[in-house]
Amino acid sequence: MRLVKISNEFFDKCRENNVHKELMFNEDGRPSVLIVKLKYKEQYHKFVVPLRSNISPKTPKNQYFSLPPNPKTKPRHSHGIHYIKLFPIDDRYVQSYLISESFDILVKKIIDDNESGIIQSCQEYLKQCESGNKHFMTPDIDGIIDMLNTNKDTN
């Protein structure tokens, strides 16, 4: 796993293909966690899980992996890896995220130390999505996969 940014081109393509609802857009290069292989409907895909600064205090703990609060985190809210916001991605839309601040180094270490649990939680959530138990705030995984596959054929 690594911290990455997603290109604006990806978000533009999602808008063009009307599969942009519930995506966490690239506000100033929002960091995301890239997970190389997760199984969804019998196929392996790369997925990205955005980091969120203000996860509601009402959000069930099993929907995210908590990280130390960042400067944008509001009181009583959480900063973390929000599993229900994951979406598939292709390499061409993945950009490097510069890890230079001490806070980013800390976050990366916590993620690395908990990698297997994060991957397992994401995989479990994808299994729920397959069975029709998808959170209403989850991006259109099937639509994005279709868009990525269509764009593969035309590039």
Side-chain angles (χ1 to χ4, degrees):
M1 287 191 322
R2 60 190 179 120
L3 287 178
V4 298
K5 295 185 300 185
I6 304 305
S7 71
N8 286 328
E9 179 187 354
F10 172 79
F11 296 107
D12 293 343
K13 289 240 184 256
C14 286
R15 279 188 199 96
E16 289 170 20
N17 289 276
N18 200 29
V19 292
H20 63 285
K21 291 175 182 61
E22 296 303 333
L23 283 174
M24 302 294 301
F25 288 94
N26 228 20
E27 303 158 358
D28 300 322
R30 173 191 297 278
S32 297
V33 177
L34 176 68
I35 301 175
V36 176
K37 278 188 175 177
L38 288 174
K39 193 173 185 179
Y40 180 70
K41 294 187 177 178
E42 301 303 317
Q43 293 186 329
Y44 286 94
H45 301 276
K46 289 184 181 182
F47 276 84
V48 176
V49 189
L51 299 185
R52 293 193 64 196
S53 297
N54 289 297
I55 299 171
S56 167
K58 295 177 183 177
T59 301
K61 300 278 188 222
N62 68 343
Q63 288 185 2
Y64 67 96
F65 178 81
S66 188
L67 294 168
N70 71 21
K72 294 180 182 177
T73 306
K74 297 174 188 171
R76 295 186 306 282
H77 286 68
S78 296
H79 172 236
I81 302 169
H82 203 179
Y83 307 134
I84 67 165
K85 300 304 274 182
L86 57 63
F87 58 90
I89 196 72
D90 275 351
D91 285 334
R92 66 180 168 227
Y93 301 116
V94 175
Q95 300 174 335
S96 295
Y97 180 79
L98 181 61
I99 300 173
S100 59
E101 302 291 324
S102 58
F103 182 77
D104 290 338
I105 293 167
L106 172 65
V107 165
K108 177 66 170 122
K109 181 178 180 355
I110 292 169
I111 291 169
D112 288 346
D113 290 348
N114 292 279
E115 181 173 348
S116 62
I118 293 167
I119 291 171
Q120 182 178 350
S121 294
C122 289
Q123 187 62 72
E124 286 172 12
Y125 182 66
L126 282 173
K127 285 180 187 173
Q128 289 180 30
C129 290
E130 286 178 21
S131 67
N133 191 17
K134 182 177 98 166
H135 192 279
F136 73 94
M137 288 177 52
T138 299
D140 182 355
I141 295 169
D142 294 307
I144 294 171
I145 289 172
D146 289 345
M147 177 196 78
L148 293 172
N149 288 337
T150 300
N151 286 333
K152 256 184 210 167
D153 296 341
T154 60
N155 288 337

